Amino acid sequence: MFWIIASLAGLAVVAFLVRPLLAGSRDNATDAAYDMQVYKDQLAEIEQDLARGVLSPDEADATRTEVSRRLLAAADAEARQIRDHAAPKAASRALVAGLAATCLAGGGALYLVQGSPHLPDQPLKTRLAAQDAAFAARPDQAKAEAEYLRIRTETPPPNDEHMALIDQLRAVLEGRPDDVQGHRLLARNLGQLGQWADAHAAQAKLLALLGEQATGADHVDHAEYQILATGGYVSPEAEAALERGLTLEPENPKGRYYSGLLLAQAGRPDLTYSLWSRLAAEGPENAPWVQAINAQLPDVARAAGIQPGPGVADIAAASEMSPEDRQEMIRDMVSGLAERLNTEGGPPQDWARLIRAYGVLGELRLASNVWNEARTVFADAPDALALIRQAARDAEVAQ
């Protein structure tokens, strides 16, 4: 199929290139003939004008003589063109054949040298499977930490007083190895000091002490310390900790944020955008994961080929502008979101953003239209509909 399409494309290019050559010879050969026909028509018109009395016999004779002279000149020109273009016409055919052969054979030869004629098809399913396999073989926690330490250019400033307290706590825990609260306090303080590797080691001891009593938040904290110890890389060990934490607490916001980060690193920014959009819409605005999402979501959207819509922070920033600037800023952001929802659809958080944005703009009719459409789209998703309904209430288009 590839070679058939390539050959047809090559023939189309050749036809486009040689058309002027063929048309030029044909046009040159017919110019004089066209002139001769014009003069013949003029002679016939002279006779008609003479018969109607429009021209006198003397005027008709003078006009007839001039047109006849031009007719003879055109006949001579036609003879010369036929004679002069006989050889070039043959040459043009040779040129056309050479050009066609060069385009087709040369293009094919160039592809064989520079292309990949033996490369198999790359369907999406196969590419995703290869991507998943490569991600599964990524470096483990220890290798990632070692690499991060090698390239790390900044280290947290030392806090001798704080470290002294931690040393004292460690000394206490040596005599009280089963002290759950002590190990929890140690891990937390090591994290506050930026000692992430020591923090996740301390958290691992805490999890071992807690056993089945460990909460989802405990496992998510362990994953967070591991991720921060590698500079933001989600290792297989951190992924396992996240999975355990979210199994116990599926709605844990910190765990969901790091799951989105994992998806982005696995080459699925589309899933990251969907997950982070929902999480950011839930708030609160000052949550550290919401602030991190707002900082990264535009890049994630671009990687996923998505036109991001206005977020909570965007609308809040717009409220501090002059009325004219605020209207213009929000309209620019809203237009892209409205177009995407109209053509591609989107998660309920995007529908809620659009309704709120229309409310800020004072476009209550448009906000109401979006709300009515959302009730049909999400009729079988009560949780999503509840989220959108709250946005419609904020925009004062729903009760």
Side-chain angles (χ1 to χ4, degrees):
M1 180 62 68
F2 167 78
W3 288 109
I4 292 174
I5 294 174
S7 298
L8 292 175
L11 289 173
V13 172
V14 169
F16 179 78
L17 292 175
V18 304
R19 183 176 179 275
L21 297 175
L22 298 176
S25 297
R26 186 165 53 250
D27 292 342
N28 290 333
T30 58
D31 286 346
Y34 176 80
D35 292 342
M36 289 176 62
Q37 185 60 47
V38 170
Y39 297 140
K40 290 177 181 179
D41 293 340
Q42 288 179 352
L43 288 174
E45 291 174 0
I46 292 171
E47 298 303 327
Q48 294 173 3
D49 291 343
L50 179 61
R52 288 181 298 158
V54 176
L55 294 176
S56 66
D58 292 339
E59 292 174 336
D61 289 340
T63 306
R64 191 184 298 111
T65 300
E66 177 61 24
V67 174
S68 298
R69 184 186 64 78
R70 294 182 181 181
L71 178 59
L72 292 174
D76 291 340
E78 182 185 33
R80 286 195 303 271
Q81 287 177 352
I82 293 174
R83 182 178 63 254
D84 293 344
H85 285 283
K89 187 174 182 180
S92 295
R93 289 175 179 172
L95 178 61
V96 167
L99 183 60
T102 300
C103 288
L104 295 176
L110 182 63
Y111 175 72
L112 291 174
V113 174
Q114 298 293 332
S116 302
H118 303 297
L119 188 69
D121 292 341
Q122 298 290 317
L124 178 60
K125 183 177 180 180
T126 302
R127 285 183 279 127
L128 290 177
Q131 184 173 280
D132 291 342
F135 187 69
R138 68 193 189 277
D140 60 16
Q141 182 70 26
K143 290 181 180 178
E145 284 187 29
E147 177 62 18
Y148 179 59
L149 288 176
R150 186 183 68 82
I151 64 174
R152 190 176 182 182
T153 58
E154 296 183 3
T155 57
N159 188 320
D160 295 338
E161 182 178 353
H162 203 164
M163 287 302 301
L165 293 175
I166 288 178
D167 289 340
Q168 293 177 14
L169 179 57
R170 281 174 168 156
V172 170
L173 291 176
E174 287 181 1
R176 298 161 55 182
D178 297 334
D179 187 344
V180 171
Q181 293 303 322
H183 282 88
R184 188 186 300 278
L185 184 62
L186 176 62
R188 186 174 302 162
N189 279 272
L190 287 169
Q192 291 175 353
L193 286 175
Q195 305 292 327
W196 307 117
D198 292 339
H200 78 69
Q203 188 73 9
K205 291 182 181 179
L206 173 64
L207 292 173
L209 289 175
L210 291 172
E212 295 298 325
Q213 296 180 350
T215 65
D218 291 329
H219 288 288
V220 170
D221 286 344
H222 186 211
E224 181 179 41
Y225 295 148
Q226 290 176 308
I227 293 169
L228 294 175
T230 60
Y233 165 73
V234 185
S235 67
E237 293 85 348
E239 179 183 4
L242 279 176
E243 183 177 354
R244 287 192 293 269
L246 290 173
T247 299
L248 296 172
E249 297 180 20
E251 297 302 317
N252 184 285
K254 189 192 300 182
R256 290 161 63 196
Y257 165 73
Y258 284 119
S259 291
L261 184 64
L262 171 68
L263 289 168
Q265 294 177 7
R268 295 304 305 270
D270 54 328
L271 300 180
T272 299
Y273 180 81
S274 178
L275 192 157
W276 278 0
S277 295
R278 294 194 299 271
L279 188 56
E282 294 171 9
E285 293 181 39
N286 60 350
W289 53 86
V290 173
Q291 296 175 13
I293 287 172
N294 288 335
Q296 300 175 75
L297 201 59
D299 292 335
V300 171
R302 281 191 291 272
I306 296 173
Q307 176 65 38
V312 176
D314 297 321
I315 297 177
S319 64
E320 301 176 359
M321 299 179 176
S322 66
E324 295 79 8
D325 291 342
R326 179 171 64 250
Q327 295 280 332
E328 186 64 26
M329 172 187 173
I330 297 179
R331 284 185 190 280
D332 289 342
M333 294 188 295
V334 166
S335 61
L337 176 59
E339 182 179 357
R340 179 168 61 83
L341 291 181
N342 184 51
T343 56
E344 304 175 12
Q349 289 73 19
D350 286 353
W351 290 77
R353 285 194 189 93
L354 183 58
I355 292 173
R356 286 194 176 96
Y358 277 141
V360 173
L361 289 170
E363 300 282 2
L364 299 186
R365 181 181 61 82
L366 295 176
S368 179
N369 291 343
V370 175
W371 162 234
N372 290 332
E373 185 179 356
R375 285 193 290 183
T376 301
V377 173
F378 296 97
D380 298 329
D383 292 340
L385 198 58
L387 176 66
I388 301 172
R389 180 181 287 108
Q390 183 57 53
R393 288 172 180 167
D394 294 342
E396 300 181 354
V397 295
Q399 298 296 326

